[in-house]
C-alpha cells in the first residue's frame, strides 16, 4: 500500500465546473475554501467547440496558451483576469465565459506565484538561466527560460527527477513538446497538440538526454531552444498517494488492463504513444460515477463527448479499463498517462482512507456471510 505525504489532494489539485455568464465573474472552488489559489489553470468549454485556455501565475494573467494548436502566447484582457484566494476570475471571452455555456477548469497549485531565478553561472545548476516556481511537495514546477540556440541544461526546481516535461515556445507557432523518462528512448518525444503520431525520435528537442533531479536538457530544436526564444515548461514528478505518471500496455479485452496508482483518481490524461490517437482527459467532476466515459481531447477544440467504448472505472487504488479500444486499450498498444488523486489509499500515518475502509468493510461482510452460510 502506498503511504502518502499529502492526505488531502485538494490542497494542490482541484477541478471545478461552472456555467458562463458572458460578464466579468469569479469562479470559486468548493474544497479548501479560501485556501486554494491556483497557479496553473486549464479551462475548456464543455458544451461547444472552443480552444483550451491555459494560464499560469508565472507568465501572468491574461496570457493564454492553447493545447489544441501550436499558437503562440496571446494576451487577452477578457480571458482569465486574476488568480484568487479560492479560485480565479474571468472576463467575457467566450473561451472561458460564454453566457449559459458550461466549462471545466483544472487547477494546480505551485508556489503562490512566487518565483526564484536560477542564475546558472553562480549556482552551477544547468547552464541556462531559468525562472522557477516550484512545489516540491506536490511534484510540480513552472519554469520559464530564454533559448540560446545551443544545447543546454535548465534547472527545474523539483529536487527530484521529472517523469514528464511539457515545453511550449511562447513567442512562435511551435508544437507542444512532451518528454518522459518513462519512454524507452531519450530521443523519443510526443506532441500535446497532435494526434497524428504517437511521437517521433528527435534528439534535437531534448538533446537525447533524460532529465535529472536538478535539470532537464534542451537541444537545438526551435520548439525547445530557439536563440532568444521564450519558453515555458511544466514539470511533474510522481508523488506517492497524490500523483502518478506511468505507462501501460493494453490487452485488447473488455476486461481491460488495471493501472495501479495508489490512490483513487480525480483526473486522468491518457495518450497512446506507439500510434496515432488523441490525448484523452477524464475527471470525477464531469463524470462522478463508473464507468467514466465523458472525455475531452487535449489536442482538439471539440466539445466534450461521451463514448461507452472508452469506459474506465476509477477505483480506490487506480483505474481499470473496461473496453477494447485503440484510444486506451488496444492489444499490445503502449500508453502514457498522468493521474492526480481524489484521495490516497493510505494516509501519511498508514491509516486506510475512507475508500479503503469501505473495501475492508465489504470484505468483512462477505467473510461473515460466507461463515454464516
Amino acid at each position: 500500500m502506498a503511504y502518502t505525504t499529502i492526505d488531502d489532494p485538494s490542497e494542490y489539485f482541484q477541478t471545478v465546473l461552472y456555467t458562463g455568464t458572458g460578464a466579468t465573474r469569479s469562479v470559486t472552488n468548493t474544497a479548501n475554501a479560501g485556501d486554494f489559489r491556483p497557479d496553473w489553470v486549464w479551462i475548456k468549454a464543455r458544451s461547444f467547440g472552443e480552444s483550451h485556455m491555459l494560464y499560469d501565475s508565472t507568465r501572468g494573467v491574461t496570457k493564454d496558451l492553447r493545447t489544441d494548436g501550436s499558437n503562440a502566447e496571446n494576451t487577452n484582457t477578457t480571458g482569465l483576469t486574476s488568480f484568487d484566494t479560492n479560485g480565479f476570475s474571468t472576463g467575457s471571452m467566450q473561451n472561458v465565459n460564454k453566457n449559459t455555456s458550461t466549462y471545466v477548469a483544472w487547477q494546480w497549485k505551485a508556489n503562490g506565484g512566487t518565483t526564484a531565478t536560477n542564475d546558472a553561472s553562480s549556482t552551477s545548476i544547468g547552464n541556462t538561466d531559468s525562472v522557477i516556481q516550484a512545489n516540491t511537495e506536490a511534484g510540480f514546477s513552472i519554469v520559464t527560460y530564454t533559448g540560446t540556440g545551443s544545447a543546454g541544461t535548465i534547472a527545474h526546481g523539483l529536487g527530484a527527477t521529472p517523469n514528464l516535461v511539457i515545453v511550449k515556445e511562447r513567442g512562435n507557432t511551435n508544437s507542444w513538446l512532451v518528454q518522459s523518462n518513462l519512454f524507452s528512448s531519450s530521443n523519443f518525444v510526443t506532441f500535446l497538440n497532435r494526434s497524428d503520431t504517437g511521437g517521433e525520435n528527435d534528439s534535437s528537442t531534448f538533446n537525447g538526454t533524460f532529465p535529472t533531479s536538478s535539470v532537464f536538457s534542451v537541444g537545438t530544436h526551435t520548439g525547445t531552444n530557439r536563440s532568444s526564444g521564450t519558453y515555458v515548461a511544466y514539470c511533474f514528478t510522481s508523488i506517492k498517494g497524490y500523483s502518478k505518471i506511468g505507462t501501460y500496455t493494453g490487452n485488447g479485452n473488455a476486461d481491460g488492463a488495471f493501472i495501479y496508482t495508489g490512490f483513487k483518481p480525480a483526473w486522468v490524461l491518457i495518450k497512446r504513444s506507439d500510434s496515432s490517437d488523441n490525448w484523452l482527459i477524464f475527471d470525477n467532476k464531469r463524470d462522478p460515477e463508473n464507468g467514466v466515459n465523458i472525455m475531452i481531447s487535449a489536442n482538439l477544440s471539440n466539445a466534450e463527448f461521451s463514448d461507452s467504448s472508452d469506459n474506465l472505472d476509477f477505483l480506490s487504488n487506480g483505474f481499470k479499463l473496461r473496453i477494447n479500444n485503440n484510444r486506451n486499450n488496444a492489444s499490445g498498444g503502449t500508453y502514457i498517462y498522468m493521474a492526480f488523486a481524489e484521495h490516497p489509499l493510505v494516509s501519511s500515518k498508514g491509516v486506510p482512507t475512507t475508500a479503503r475502509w469501505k473495501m475492508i468493510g465489504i470484505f468483512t461482510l462477505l467473510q461473515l456471510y460466507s461463515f454464516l452460510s
Side-chain angles (χ1 to χ4, degrees):
M1 292 187 294
Y3 288 62
T4 183
T5 56
I6 299 175
D7 288 331
D8 184 359
S10 68
E11 292 180 357
Y12 300 106
F13 170 79
Q14 289 196 34
T15 299
V16 66
L17 308 181
Y18 65 96
T19 301
T21 63
T24 301
R25 62 160 300 162
S26 294
V27 177
T28 303
N29 292 308
T30 55
N32 289 303
D35 193 32
F36 186 84
R37 179 192 183 277
D39 292 301
W40 189 33
V41 178
W42 182 339
I43 300 173
K44 179 65 180 77
R46 303 170 56 197
S47 53
F48 70 106
E50 189 55 88
S51 284
H52 297 250
M53 306 298 285
L54 279 68
Y55 304 87
D56 66 67
S57 60
T58 296
R59 292 182 298 119
V61 296
T62 75
K63 297 182 185 298
D64 66 72
L65 290 167
R66 310 180 182 206
T67 61
D68 51 282
S70 59
N71 309 53
E73 179 180 272
N74 183 55
T75 300
N76 193 312
T77 57
T78 59
L80 188 143
T81 56
S82 66
F83 299 96
D84 303 333
T85 56
N86 192 32
F88 57 91
S89 296
T90 76
S92 58
M93 188 180 185
Q94 75 168 16
N95 301 63
V96 298
N97 193 21
K98 181 181 178 182
N99 190 34
T100 72
S101 295
T102 56
Y103 297 84
V104 59
W106 304 299
Q107 305 159 80
W108 289 261
K109 187 175 183 178
N111 195 34
T114 301
T115 62
T117 299
N118 178 67
D119 182 342
S121 62
S122 61
T123 64
S124 299
I125 303 174
N127 60 15
T128 301
D129 295 347
S130 58
V131 176
I132 303 167
Q133 184 182 174
N135 187 326
T136 56
E137 184 175 7
F140 171 54
S141 68
I142 303 167
V143 181
T144 56
Y145 64 95
T146 300
T148 66
S150 300
T153 52
I154 297 163
H156 52 67
L158 288 178
T161 302
N163 300 120
L164 198 73
V165 177
I166 305 170
V167 176
K168 177 68 179 79
E169 185 179 14
R170 299 166 60 187
N172 285 281
T173 55
N174 253 313
S175 285
W176 294 75
L177 297 173
V178 182
Q179 185 191 41
S180 174
N181 64 350
L182 302 174
F183 291 146
S184 59
S185 168
S186 58
N187 290 330
F188 188 80
V189 62
T190 189
F191 313 95
L192 186 59
N193 58 296
R194 288 165 53 182
S195 66
D196 57 322
T197 179
E200 61 187 43
N201 287 303
D202 188 345
S203 62
S204 70
T205 53
F206 293 98
N207 204 32
T209 307
F210 284 133
T212 71
S213 59
S214 58
V215 299
F216 65 91
S217 297
V218 291
T220 57
H221 194 286
T222 57
T224 56
N225 195 23
R226 184 195 305 270
S227 179
S228 300
T230 56
Y231 296 85
V232 62
Y234 302 109
C235 305
F236 300 88
T237 190
S238 298
I239 300 296
K240 189 178 290 188
Y242 165 72
S243 64
K244 180 72 172 177
I245 297 104
T247 61
Y248 67 89
T249 301
N251 65 10
N253 195 298
D255 183 16
F258 166 71
I259 293 85
Y260 174 80
T261 60
F263 54 79
K264 183 176 183 182
W267 186 91
V268 175
L269 171 70
I270 297 174
K271 172 68 172 80
R272 184 165 184 180
S273 58
D274 66 339
S275 181
S276 60
D277 225 308
N278 294 322
W279 294 79
L280 300 178
I281 301 173
F282 305 83
D283 67 64
N284 66 345
K285 297 298 185 183
R286 291 178 300 121
D287 208 347
E289 297 182 359
N290 290 332
V292 178
N293 61 21
I294 300 176
M295 292 163 281
I296 286 176
S297 297
N299 55 289
L300 298 175
S301 62
N302 302 19
E304 71 178 14
F305 65 101
S306 177
D307 187 343
S308 60
S309 67
D310 282 278
N311 275 349
L312 307 180
D313 283 348
F314 284 175
L315 307 176
S316 63
N317 59 348
F319 60 95
K320 170 80 170 175
L321 305 171
R322 292 295 186 185
I323 204 70
N324 172 16
N325 186 285
N326 182 67
R327 285 181 290 208
N328 57 33
N329 193 34
S331 178
T334 302
Y335 299 83
I336 186 167
Y337 70 90
M338 180 163 66
F340 291 87
E342 177 182 336
H343 49 69
L345 180 63
V346 180
S347 76
S348 60
K349 297 178 175 60
V351 177
T353 61
T354 300
R356 180 65 178 168
W357 280 121
K358 287 180 180 178
M359 290 173 62
I360 292 171
I362 292 170
F363 181 68
T364 303
L365 287 173
L366 288 172
Q367 284 186 312
L368 179 60
Y369 176 79
S370 176
F371 174 77
L372 293 175
S373 298

